[in-house]
Short mmCIF file of all heavy atoms in Angstrom, two decimals:
data_model
loop_
_atom_site.label_atom_id
_atom_site.label_comp_id
_atom_site.label_asym_id
_atom_site.label_seq_id
_atom_site.Cartn_x
_atom_site.Cartn_y
_atom_site.Cartn_z
N GLY A 1289 3.26 -3.81 -2.62
CA GLY A 1289 4.40 -3.58 -1.74
C GLY A 1289 3.93 -2.79 -0.54
O GLY A 1289 2.78 -2.35 -0.46
N ARG A 1290 4.83 -2.62 0.40
CA ARG A 1290 4.49 -1.81 1.58
C ARG A 1290 5.65 -0.87 1.90
O ARG A 1290 6.81 -1.16 1.60
CB ARG A 1290 4.18 -2.68 2.79
CG ARG A 1290 5.38 -3.42 3.34
CD ARG A 1290 5.05 -4.07 4.67
NE ARG A 1290 6.20 -4.83 5.18
CZ ARG A 1290 6.22 -5.45 6.34
NH1 ARG A 1290 5.16 -5.42 7.12
NH2 ARG A 1290 7.30 -6.11 6.73
N LYS A 1291 5.31 0.23 2.51
CA LYS A 1291 6.32 1.20 2.91
C LYS A 1291 7.05 0.71 4.16
O LYS A 1291 6.44 0.13 5.07
CB LYS A 1291 5.68 2.56 3.20
CG LYS A 1291 5.17 3.29 1.98
CD LYS A 1291 4.60 4.66 2.36
CE LYS A 1291 4.12 5.42 1.13
NZ LYS A 1291 3.55 6.74 1.48
N LEU A 1292 8.34 0.96 4.20
CA LEU A 1292 9.13 0.76 5.41
C LEU A 1292 9.55 2.10 6.00
O LEU A 1292 9.85 2.20 7.19
CB LEU A 1292 10.38 -0.09 5.10
CG LEU A 1292 10.12 -1.50 4.58
CD1 LEU A 1292 11.44 -2.19 4.25
CD2 LEU A 1292 9.31 -2.32 5.57
N ASP A 1293 9.57 3.12 5.15
CA ASP A 1293 9.96 4.45 5.59
C ASP A 1293 9.40 5.46 4.60
O ASP A 1293 9.22 5.16 3.42
CB ASP A 1293 11.49 4.58 5.64
CG ASP A 1293 11.95 5.91 6.24
OD1 ASP A 1293 11.98 6.02 7.47
OD2 ASP A 1293 12.25 6.82 5.46
N GLN A 1294 9.09 6.66 5.10
CA GLN A 1294 8.65 7.74 4.23
C GLN A 1294 9.13 9.07 4.79
O GLN A 1294 9.48 9.17 5.97
CB GLN A 1294 7.13 7.73 4.05
CG GLN A 1294 6.32 7.79 5.31
CD GLN A 1294 4.82 7.66 5.04
OE1 GLN A 1294 4.35 7.82 3.93
NE2 GLN A 1294 4.06 7.38 6.08
N TYR A 1295 9.18 10.05 3.93
CA TYR A 1295 9.62 11.37 4.36
C TYR A 1295 8.74 12.43 3.72
O TYR A 1295 8.50 12.37 2.51
CB TYR A 1295 11.08 11.62 3.98
CG TYR A 1295 11.62 12.90 4.57
CD1 TYR A 1295 11.96 12.97 5.92
CD2 TYR A 1295 11.77 14.05 3.79
CE1 TYR A 1295 12.43 14.15 6.47
CE2 TYR A 1295 12.24 15.22 4.34
CZ TYR A 1295 12.57 15.27 5.68
OH TYR A 1295 13.02 16.43 6.24
N PRO A 1296 8.25 13.38 4.55
CA PRO A 1296 8.35 13.47 5.99
C PRO A 1296 7.71 12.26 6.69
O PRO A 1296 6.84 11.60 6.11
CB PRO A 1296 7.59 14.75 6.33
CG PRO A 1296 7.61 15.55 5.07
CD PRO A 1296 7.54 14.55 3.97
N ALA A 1297 8.15 12.00 7.92
CA ALA A 1297 7.70 10.82 8.65
C ALA A 1297 6.18 10.77 8.75
O ALA A 1297 5.53 11.78 9.01
CB ALA A 1297 8.31 10.83 10.06
N GLN A 1298 5.63 9.60 8.54
CA GLN A 1298 4.22 9.26 8.68
C GLN A 1298 3.32 9.77 7.56
O GLN A 1298 2.33 9.14 7.23
CB GLN A 1298 3.67 9.73 10.04
CG GLN A 1298 4.29 9.01 11.24
CD GLN A 1298 3.62 9.39 12.52
OE1 GLN A 1298 3.74 10.52 12.96
NE2 GLN A 1298 2.90 8.47 13.12
N TYR A 1299 3.64 10.93 6.97
CA TYR A 1299 2.68 11.52 6.02
C TYR A 1299 3.36 11.95 4.71
O TYR A 1299 2.89 12.83 4.03
CB TYR A 1299 1.99 12.73 6.66
CG TYR A 1299 1.49 12.44 8.05
CD1 TYR A 1299 2.15 12.96 9.17
CD2 TYR A 1299 0.39 11.62 8.25
CE1 TYR A 1299 1.71 12.68 10.45
CE2 TYR A 1299 -0.04 11.33 9.53
CZ TYR A 1299 0.62 11.85 10.62
OH TYR A 1299 0.18 11.57 11.89
N GLY A 1300 4.47 11.31 4.37
CA GLY A 1300 5.19 11.74 3.19
C GLY A 1300 5.15 10.71 2.07
O GLY A 1300 4.27 9.85 2.00
N SER A 1301 6.12 10.81 1.18
CA SER A 1301 6.28 9.86 0.08
C SER A 1301 7.25 8.77 0.50
O SER A 1301 8.15 8.99 1.32
CB SER A 1301 6.81 10.58 -1.17
OG SER A 1301 5.89 11.56 -1.60
N GLY A 1302 7.08 7.58 -0.07
CA GLY A 1302 7.93 6.46 0.30
C GLY A 1302 9.40 6.72 -0.02
O GLY A 1302 9.74 7.23 -1.08
N THR A 1303 10.27 6.37 0.93
CA THR A 1303 11.71 6.45 0.71
C THR A 1303 12.34 5.06 0.73
O THR A 1303 13.37 4.83 0.11
CB THR A 1303 12.39 7.32 1.78
OG1 THR A 1303 12.21 6.71 3.07
CG2 THR A 1303 11.81 8.73 1.80
N LEU A 1304 11.72 4.14 1.46
CA LEU A 1304 12.16 2.74 1.50
C LEU A 1304 10.91 1.87 1.46
O LEU A 1304 10.03 2.01 2.31
CB LEU A 1304 12.98 2.45 2.76
CG LEU A 1304 13.59 1.04 2.84
CD1 LEU A 1304 14.66 0.86 1.77
CD2 LEU A 1304 14.18 0.78 4.23
N VAL A 1305 10.83 1.01 0.45
CA VAL A 1305 9.63 0.20 0.21
C VAL A 1305 10.09 -1.23 -0.06
O VAL A 1305 11.19 -1.44 -0.58
CB VAL A 1305 8.85 0.74 -1.01
CG1 VAL A 1305 7.60 -0.08 -1.27
CG2 VAL A 1305 8.50 2.21 -0.82
N GLU A 1306 9.26 -2.21 0.29
CA GLU A 1306 9.60 -3.59 -0.03
C GLU A 1306 8.45 -4.29 -0.73
O GLU A 1306 7.29 -3.99 -0.49
CB GLU A 1306 10.00 -4.37 1.22
CG GLU A 1306 8.86 -4.71 2.15
CD GLU A 1306 9.26 -5.67 3.26
OE1 GLU A 1306 10.37 -6.25 3.18
OE2 GLU A 1306 8.47 -5.85 4.20
N SER A 1307 8.82 -5.22 -1.61
CA SER A 1307 7.80 -6.04 -2.27
C SER A 1307 7.35 -7.12 -1.30
O SER A 1307 8.17 -7.75 -0.63
CB SER A 1307 8.36 -6.66 -3.55
OG SER A 1307 9.50 -7.46 -3.27
N ILE A 1308 6.06 -7.30 -1.22
CA ILE A 1308 5.49 -8.25 -0.27
C ILE A 1308 4.13 -8.69 -0.79
O ILE A 1308 3.47 -7.94 -1.53
CB ILE A 1308 5.36 -7.60 1.13
CG1 ILE A 1308 4.93 -8.63 2.18
CG2 ILE A 1308 4.40 -6.42 1.10
CD1 ILE A 1308 4.94 -8.09 3.60
N ILE A 1309 3.71 -9.88 -0.44
CA ILE A 1309 2.36 -10.33 -0.79
C ILE A 1309 1.59 -10.63 0.50
O ILE A 1309 2.03 -11.46 1.30
CB ILE A 1309 2.40 -11.59 -1.68
CG1 ILE A 1309 3.08 -11.29 -3.01
CG2 ILE A 1309 0.97 -12.10 -1.94
CD1 ILE A 1309 3.24 -12.50 -3.90
N GLU A 1310 0.50 -9.93 0.69
CA GLU A 1310 -0.46 -10.24 1.75
C GLU A 1310 -1.81 -10.37 1.06
O GLU A 1310 -2.36 -9.38 0.57
CB GLU A 1310 -0.48 -9.15 2.82
CG GLU A 1310 0.78 -9.12 3.67
CD GLU A 1310 0.64 -8.25 4.92
OE1 GLU A 1310 -0.51 -7.95 5.31
OE2 GLU A 1310 1.68 -7.87 5.48
N GLU A 1311 -2.31 -11.58 1.02
CA GLU A 1311 -3.48 -11.88 0.19
C GLU A 1311 -4.69 -11.00 0.50
O GLU A 1311 -5.41 -10.56 -0.40
CB GLU A 1311 -3.86 -13.36 0.34
CG GLU A 1311 -2.81 -14.33 -0.22
CD GLU A 1311 -2.60 -14.19 -1.72
OE1 GLU A 1311 -3.48 -13.64 -2.40
OE2 GLU A 1311 -1.53 -14.63 -2.21
N GLU A 1312 -4.92 -10.72 1.78
CA GLU A 1312 -6.07 -9.89 2.15
C GLU A 1312 -5.94 -8.48 1.57
O GLU A 1312 -6.89 -7.92 1.03
CB GLU A 1312 -6.19 -9.81 3.67
CG GLU A 1312 -7.35 -8.94 4.13
CD GLU A 1312 -7.24 -8.51 5.59
OE1 GLU A 1312 -6.28 -8.90 6.27
OE2 GLU A 1312 -8.14 -7.74 6.04
N VAL A 1313 -4.73 -7.92 1.67
CA VAL A 1313 -4.49 -6.56 1.17
C VAL A 1313 -4.61 -6.54 -0.35
O VAL A 1313 -5.24 -5.64 -0.93
CB VAL A 1313 -3.10 -6.06 1.61
CG1 VAL A 1313 -2.87 -4.64 1.09
CG2 VAL A 1313 -2.98 -6.09 3.13
N LEU A 1314 -4.00 -7.52 -1.00
CA LEU A 1314 -4.05 -7.60 -2.46
C LEU A 1314 -5.49 -7.70 -2.95
O LEU A 1314 -5.89 -6.98 -3.88
CB LEU A 1314 -3.23 -8.79 -2.94
CG LEU A 1314 -3.16 -9.01 -4.46
CD1 LEU A 1314 -2.50 -7.84 -5.15
CD2 LEU A 1314 -2.42 -10.32 -4.78
N ALA A 1315 -6.27 -8.56 -2.31
CA ALA A 1315 -7.67 -8.74 -2.72
C ALA A 1315 -8.48 -7.47 -2.53
O ALA A 1315 -9.28 -7.09 -3.40
CB ALA A 1315 -8.29 -9.90 -1.94
N GLU A 1316 -8.26 -6.78 -1.42
CA GLU A 1316 -9.00 -5.53 -1.16
C GLU A 1316 -8.58 -4.44 -2.13
O GLU A 1316 -9.42 -3.68 -2.63
CB GLU A 1316 -8.76 -5.08 0.29
CG GLU A 1316 -9.42 -3.76 0.67
CD GLU A 1316 -10.94 -3.78 0.62
OE1 GLU A 1316 -11.54 -4.85 0.38
OE2 GLU A 1316 -11.53 -2.70 0.83
N GLY A 1317 -7.28 -4.35 -2.43
CA GLY A 1317 -6.82 -3.35 -3.38
C GLY A 1317 -7.41 -3.56 -4.76
O GLY A 1317 -7.90 -2.62 -5.40
N LEU A 1318 -7.40 -4.81 -5.24
CA LEU A 1318 -7.96 -5.10 -6.55
C LEU A 1318 -9.48 -4.89 -6.56
O LEU A 1318 -10.05 -4.42 -7.56
CB LEU A 1318 -7.63 -6.53 -6.96
CG LEU A 1318 -6.14 -6.83 -7.20
CD1 LEU A 1318 -5.93 -8.31 -7.51
CD2 LEU A 1318 -5.58 -5.97 -8.32
N ARG A 1319 -10.13 -5.21 -5.45
CA ARG A 1319 -11.59 -4.97 -5.36
C ARG A 1319 -11.91 -3.50 -5.54
O ARG A 1319 -12.84 -3.12 -6.27
CB ARG A 1319 -12.11 -5.47 -4.01
CG ARG A 1319 -13.63 -5.35 -3.85
CD ARG A 1319 -14.05 -5.70 -2.44
NE ARG A 1319 -13.75 -4.62 -1.51
CZ ARG A 1319 -14.56 -3.57 -1.29
NH1 ARG A 1319 -15.70 -3.45 -1.95
NH2 ARG A 1319 -14.21 -2.63 -0.42
N ILE A 1320 -11.12 -2.63 -4.89
CA ILE A 1320 -11.37 -1.19 -4.98
C ILE A 1320 -11.09 -0.68 -6.39
O ILE A 1320 -11.87 0.10 -6.95
CB ILE A 1320 -10.52 -0.43 -3.94
CG1 ILE A 1320 -11.02 -0.74 -2.52
CG2 ILE A 1320 -10.55 1.07 -4.20
CD1 ILE A 1320 -10.16 -0.19 -1.41
N LEU A 1321 -9.99 -1.14 -6.99
CA LEU A 1321 -9.68 -0.72 -8.36
C LEU A 1321 -10.81 -1.11 -9.31
O LEU A 1321 -11.18 -0.34 -10.21
CB LEU A 1321 -8.36 -1.33 -8.82
CG LEU A 1321 -7.09 -0.79 -8.14
CD1 LEU A 1321 -5.86 -1.57 -8.61
CD2 LEU A 1321 -6.89 0.69 -8.43
N GLU A 1322 -11.37 -2.29 -9.11
CA GLU A 1322 -12.45 -2.74 -9.99
C GLU A 1322 -13.75 -1.99 -9.70
O GLU A 1322 -14.56 -1.80 -10.61
CB GLU A 1322 -12.60 -4.26 -9.86
CG GLU A 1322 -11.46 -4.98 -10.58
CD GLU A 1322 -11.22 -6.40 -10.12
OE1 GLU A 1322 -12.12 -6.97 -9.45
OE2 GLU A 1322 -10.13 -6.95 -10.42
N LEU A 1323 -13.95 -1.55 -8.47
CA LEU A 1323 -15.11 -0.70 -8.17
C LEU A 1323 -15.05 0.61 -8.94
O LEU A 1323 -16.09 1.16 -9.33
CB LEU A 1323 -15.16 -0.39 -6.66
CG LEU A 1323 -15.76 -1.44 -5.73
CD1 LEU A 1323 -15.62 -0.98 -4.28
CD2 LEU A 1323 -17.23 -1.70 -6.07
N PHE A 1324 -13.83 1.10 -9.17
CA PHE A 1324 -13.64 2.36 -9.91
C PHE A 1324 -13.65 2.15 -11.43
O PHE A 1324 -13.52 3.12 -12.17
CB PHE A 1324 -12.34 3.03 -9.48
CG PHE A 1324 -12.44 3.81 -8.20
CD1 PHE A 1324 -12.10 3.25 -6.99
CD2 PHE A 1324 -12.89 5.13 -8.21
CE1 PHE A 1324 -12.19 3.97 -5.81
CE2 PHE A 1324 -12.98 5.86 -7.04
CZ PHE A 1324 -12.63 5.28 -5.84
N ASN A 1325 -13.75 0.89 -11.88
CA ASN A 1325 -13.78 0.60 -13.32
C ASN A 1325 -12.57 1.17 -14.06
O ASN A 1325 -12.70 1.77 -15.12
CB ASN A 1325 -15.07 1.14 -13.96
CG ASN A 1325 -16.29 0.37 -13.52
OD1 ASN A 1325 -16.29 -0.87 -13.53
ND2 ASN A 1325 -17.32 1.08 -13.11
#
């Protein structure tokens, strides 16, 4: 998913988030998780 809003602005925790699929982001995220075993 991706953030649409967070508080405090720019550097906080998500307040509004949406589910989304972006293949490049998904692949990079899973690659990093697998690097960490």
